[in-house]
Amino acid sequence: MSLNYAFAFSLFLLLLVGLNLYFFYALNTTGKKPLPYTQPNVKLDLGPSVFKDIYTYFNYLPKQYKTKNPKFIEKQRDLISLFNSSAGTNSKDVLYETEKWVSDESLFPHTNGAPGQILQAIQNSQIALVDNAPKGTQLKLLLLLEGKQKLYFKPKRYELDNVIKGKIYAGYDRHNSEVFAYYLAMVLNFKWIAPSVIRKIHIDKDIVPKATLALNKTMVKNESGSTCIYGKCFYCKRNETVCPDQNGEIEGAAILYLDRQFKIHKSPWRRSYTTRKMEWEEDNNFCKKVIGTLSLKRILNLIDVAVFDFLIQNGDRHRYEVYKDQIVLLDNGKGLGNPTVDELDILAPLYQCCMLSSKTWQNLELLSGGSLSETIELLAGYQGNKLATEEHFKAVDRRLMKIYATVQYCIGKYGSTKVLKKN
């Protein structure tokens, strides 16, 4: 074979490959337009091929995921009836019945307007005693109500438009994230979460006269003469206080105390909180090891939690609590930090295991086209709560699209029968 002939033949092969590539590209992009979302910051140091594949599916999702699902109308109407029902109820009776609730389906009653009644009771019940809640890493108070029920109170640390930069677990807990997480769980049909609502407490009327001696010891006066609290916790410091606003009130998340016995487990997908990488961060086949140690039900439960955490960007679930063989969604204050960042590695349980409960998938598909954020905002409004900025609401809908894309990536890789599991 002469040199000229070999060169000509090589050129022909290159041309043939180029034409095939162009044909494939044209075939896969005809009639498709990329989503009108600007791409937020994404980490590409973990499994870059996985992330790139997910983003490919994200940019070319079918139309059904970009528009509202008409099947959701009835479900939204049912949710509204649950939260827009509070008149004519006695707060003590509501909380007493809630405290005695026994069910394998949920932590609290979720029919006949019960959620709205519970939130109204949490928001308005008289406070009998206030103490430090020493467990945990950040300041929170324990409120004893006149009916003897208890609430955790996580005070406001940031304005809603404050953007938390840095690590996914950076900053103080966000009180609005705790409440947002509750409504999110209700819309997702995740019923293993404590009811939570925004409440304002007057420092001189509701706290100082009813404070325990231990709480009094963690109070100081600021330069303007207002009483401030620094509390008792792992990271509590005397110079990092919570002070009342100009009306003498402290805003926070009032969370119904769960008087239950939980079993605590370390999450397989926990972070190291140092520069050291965990095994799951370096091995995209990590799920094979998890499958050998946990039941399918528990793995699917952990994947549900990952979906939940990804939507609010809570990357701080290093452990999880279990009650009646269900993971309880506690400590959701590290969400809603930065609406421009989507940490895809929170979804590692989903894209590494490529499994999802079929019930969860059906619920997620109903929430397309902005229905998720719209419903959360609507339900929170019945308790007078503004929980997030418009940027955060948009971010939640955008992240839902990325969950769709991740599931489609898994289905494309393994088929729907292997990915979607009945449980």
Side-chain angles (χ1 to χ4, degrees):
M1 181 183 294
S2 69
L3 187 61
N4 288 337
Y5 179 80
F7 175 78
F9 184 71
S10 299
L11 190 63
F12 171 75
L13 285 177
L14 286 171
L15 181 62
L16 185 63
V17 170
L19 286 171
N20 273 282
L21 288 173
Y22 174 78
F23 174 75
F24 179 78
Y25 172 81
L27 183 65
N28 283 275
T29 57
T30 300
K32 295 180 178 180
K33 295 181 179 180
L35 292 174
Y37 295 125
T38 55
Q39 295 293 343
N41 299 332
V42 182
K43 296 194 308 182
L44 290 176
D45 58 333
L46 163 67
S49 61
V50 174
F51 285 2
K52 289 177 182 176
D53 287 345
I54 290 172
Y55 266 76
T56 298
Y57 278 92
F58 172 76
N59 283 323
Y60 297 105
L61 279 172
K63 184 179 179 181
Q64 70 190 72
Y65 298 118
K66 307 171 192 177
T67 56
K68 287 188 177 182
N69 190 329
K71 294 180 181 179
F72 181 65
I73 295 174
E74 184 177 352
K75 181 178 179 180
Q76 188 183 63
R77 190 182 299 118
D78 291 341
L79 284 166
I80 290 171
S81 70
L82 293 179
F83 285 89
N84 189 26
S85 177
S86 59
T89 57
N90 183 288
S91 294
K92 292 181 183 179
D93 292 342
V94 169
L95 293 179
Y96 179 79
E97 292 299 323
T98 300
E99 191 177 52
K100 300 301 180 183
W101 177 257
V102 177
S103 171
D104 291 329
E105 301 297 324
S106 64
L107 274 177
F108 300 98
H110 290 88
T111 58
N112 301 323
Q117 294 167 11
I118 293 169
L119 294 185
Q120 285 289 328
I122 293 173
Q123 205 169 38
N124 299 315
S125 295
Q126 292 296 310
I127 299 169
L129 193 70
V130 186
D131 197 2
N132 283 310
K135 290 185 178 180
T137 60
Q138 301 196 32
L139 166 62
K140 59 179 178 285
L141 302 178
L142 184 63
L143 311 183
L144 179 66
L145 304 179
E146 286 189 339
K148 305 303 181 183
Q149 291 83 16
K150 299 174 185 176
L151 303 178
Y152 278 131
F153 183 79
K154 285 194 174 183
K156 174 182 176 179
R157 290 286 196 171
Y158 303 106
E159 298 300 326
L160 295 185
D161 59 356
N162 192 287
V163 175
I164 310 299
K165 296 182 179 180
K167 299 288 187 181
I168 188 66
Y169 46 81
Y172 296 112
D173 281 4
R174 274 73 76 178
H175 76 299
N176 58 310
S177 178
E178 288 283 1
V179 180
F180 193 103
Y182 172 67
Y183 288 105
L184 172 64
M186 292 300 96
V187 178
L188 293 176
N189 203 33
F190 293 171
K191 295 178 180 177
W192 296 87
I193 187 171
S196 179
V197 68
I198 300 294
R199 177 167 180 167
K200 292 184 177 182
I201 301 177
H202 199 281
I203 188 77
D204 293 323
K205 297 177 182 177
D206 298 320
I207 298 181
V208 173
K210 300 166 184 177
T212 62
L213 180 62
L215 178 58
N216 270 312
K217 289 180 179 179
T218 66
M219 292 182 180
V220 293
K221 295 282 187 179
N222 65 7
E223 295 177 354
S224 64
S226 296
T227 301
C228 303
I229 305 170
Y230 62 88
K232 183 179 178 181
C233 66
F234 190 78
Y235 291 121
C236 286
K237 298 177 182 178
R238 189 180 179 89
N239 63 341
E240 295 181 358
T241 57
V242 170
C243 300
D245 60 19
Q246 65 272 18
N247 298 318
E249 296 177 323
I250 295 177
E251 179 180 310
I255 308 163
L256 194 58
Y257 176 83
L258 303 179
D259 192 12
R260 311 282 197 276
Q261 292 296 318
F262 298 125
K263 294 181 180 179
I264 301 174
H265 303 270
K266 290 182 179 179
S267 170
W269 284 277
R270 64 188 179 277
R271 299 174 188 273
S272 68
Y273 299 93
T274 68
T275 56
R276 178 175 65 91
K277 287 186 177 294
M278 302 297 283
E279 188 175 358
W280 66 268
E281 294 179 280
E282 299 183 310
D283 180 10
N284 273 325
N285 293 315
F286 176 73
C287 188
K288 292 181 179 179
K289 297 181 179 179
V290 179
I291 289 173
T293 60
L294 297 177
S295 68
L296 175 62
K297 179 180 179 180
R298 179 60 54 79
I299 292 171
L300 290 175
N301 205 174
L302 284 166
I303 292 170
D304 282 350
V305 173
V307 166
F308 173 84
D309 283 340
F310 178 72
L311 288 168
I312 58 174
Q313 288 291 284
N314 174 25
D316 193 36
R317 204 174 295 280
H318 52 280
R319 69 176 194 176
Y320 62 92
E321 290 81 7
V322 174
Y323 179 70
K324 292 191 175 183
D325 204 27
Q326 289 286 341
I327 296 176
V328 181
L329 297 168
L330 299 177
D331 293 330
N332 305 302
K334 282 293 173 66
L336 305 183
N338 190 337
T340 68
V341 174
D342 298 339
E343 295 275 8
L344 273 177
D345 64 2
I346 299 175
L347 281 180
L350 175 58
Y351 64 69
Q352 289 181 352
C353 296
C354 267
M355 292 189 294
L356 185 66
S357 161
S358 57
K359 290 181 181 178
T360 299
W361 180 236
Q362 289 167 8
N363 287 329
L364 290 172
E365 285 191 301
L366 290 176
L367 299 170
S368 60
S371 292
L372 178 56
S373 66
E374 175 191 278
T375 307
I376 293 171
E377 191 168 16
L378 181 65
L379 298 181
Y382 291 119
Q383 272 65 49
N385 297 163
K386 178 176 173 55
L387 299 180
T389 63
E390 184 179 353
E391 288 73 20
H392 279 296
F393 279 112
K394 288 180 178 178
V396 168
D397 287 326
R398 181 186 68 232
R399 291 165 192 153
L400 176 60
M401 300 284 278
K402 290 181 181 178
I403 293 169
Y404 292 149
T406 305
V407 175
Q408 290 302 321
Y409 154 78
C410 288
I411 290 174
K413 196 172 181 180
Y414 298 108
S416 59
T417 55
K418 289 188 176 181
V419 174
L420 303 178
K421 304 290 186 180
K422 293 182 179 181
N423 63 327

